Amino acid sequence: MLTRINHIGIAVRSLDESLSFYRDNLGMAFAGIEEVAEQKVRVAMLQVGESKIELLEPTSEDSPVAKFLEKNGPGIHHLAYEVEDIEAAIARLLADGARMIDERPRTGAHGTRIAFVHPKSSNGVLTELCQSGC
Ligand code: CMX
């Protein structure tokens, strides 16, 4: 079902202020910035081996990331696992009684298909499923 950790999402107040630590100090390969309007975030992607770090900056006050920053400050926001078949993964989680934020896949960064599991169903960790190509 799961093939690898695709990325770790980190909430930041400003991409401009936080990007240089990952790109320049840690030396990660920077893959660009994209706005995901549906999620109300700007996303910077950095490659680490076969996984990525996704920096998330809110683009509006009602963004889920803005709410997270208000409550917790900057930090790890979610963990994303790559799946071969996202519909099958969602169906299996629903059958097992998991609380899905998305019962159908929606569009994430780079046109990928994603679905979130509520942190109350995943031991306090907001969990994202994403189908390959993410
Ligand atoms: N990680 C862990 N726990 C979290 C969390 C997170 N990122 N965000 C919220 N929670 C916790 C809250 O602390 C709260 O816990 P308590 O009840 O113990 O206090 C609980 O979840 C519910 O929080 P809430 O305030 O009722 O709900 P929110 O309105 O904050 O919504 C969530 C939380 C996860 C449902 C919402 O943020 C969401 O739908 N997220 C999915 C979409 C998303 O995060 N998009 C941004 C990234 C997009 C991308 O990667 O492309």
Side-chain angles (χ1 to χ4, degrees):
M1 178 178 153
L2 306 180
T3 54
R4 65 175 173 135
I5 292 174
N6 182 275
H7 65 264
I8 297 168
I10 299 180
V12 300
R13 294 209 168 88
S14 158
L15 290 184
D16 289 343
E17 285 171 17
S18 52
L19 183 57
S20 70
F21 172 74
Y22 297 90
R23 184 190 54 202
D24 306 328
N25 299 11
L26 292 178
M28 295 180 189
F30 172 51
I33 292 179
E34 183 185 345
E35 180 159 348
V36 184
E38 195 192 336
Q39 300 283 321
K40 298 178 180 165
V41 287
R42 276 175 80 224
V43 173
M45 279 294 189
L46 299 120
Q47 196 74 36
V48 188
E50 63 169 18
S51 302
K52 288 172 279 234
I53 294 294
E54 182 184 78
L55 303 181
L56 299 157
E57 175 195 80
T59 54
S60 90
E61 281 177 12
D62 61 343
S63 164
V65 174
K67 195 166 179 187
F68 179 90
L69 284 167
E70 200 179 306
K71 188 170 177 184
N72 308 289
I76 294 181
H77 179 262
H78 68 267
L79 191 52
Y81 298 101
E82 194 164 310
V83 294
E84 283 171 357
D85 179 342
I86 195 164
E87 275 90 1
I90 293 170
R92 185 167 158 179
L93 282 157
L94 285 171
D96 286 345
R99 182 170 158 194
M100 295 298 299
I101 294 168
D102 304 299
E103 295 196 1
R104 287 158 199 242
R106 56 171 150 161
T107 305
H110 311 294
T112 55
R113 299 172 72 229
I114 64 170
F116 282 93
V117 185
H118 198 281
K120 294 292 180 198
S121 276
S122 44
N123 300 290
V125 179
L126 177 59
T127 299
E128 178 183 342
L129 307 175
C130 64
Q131 194 159 341
S132 78
C134 18

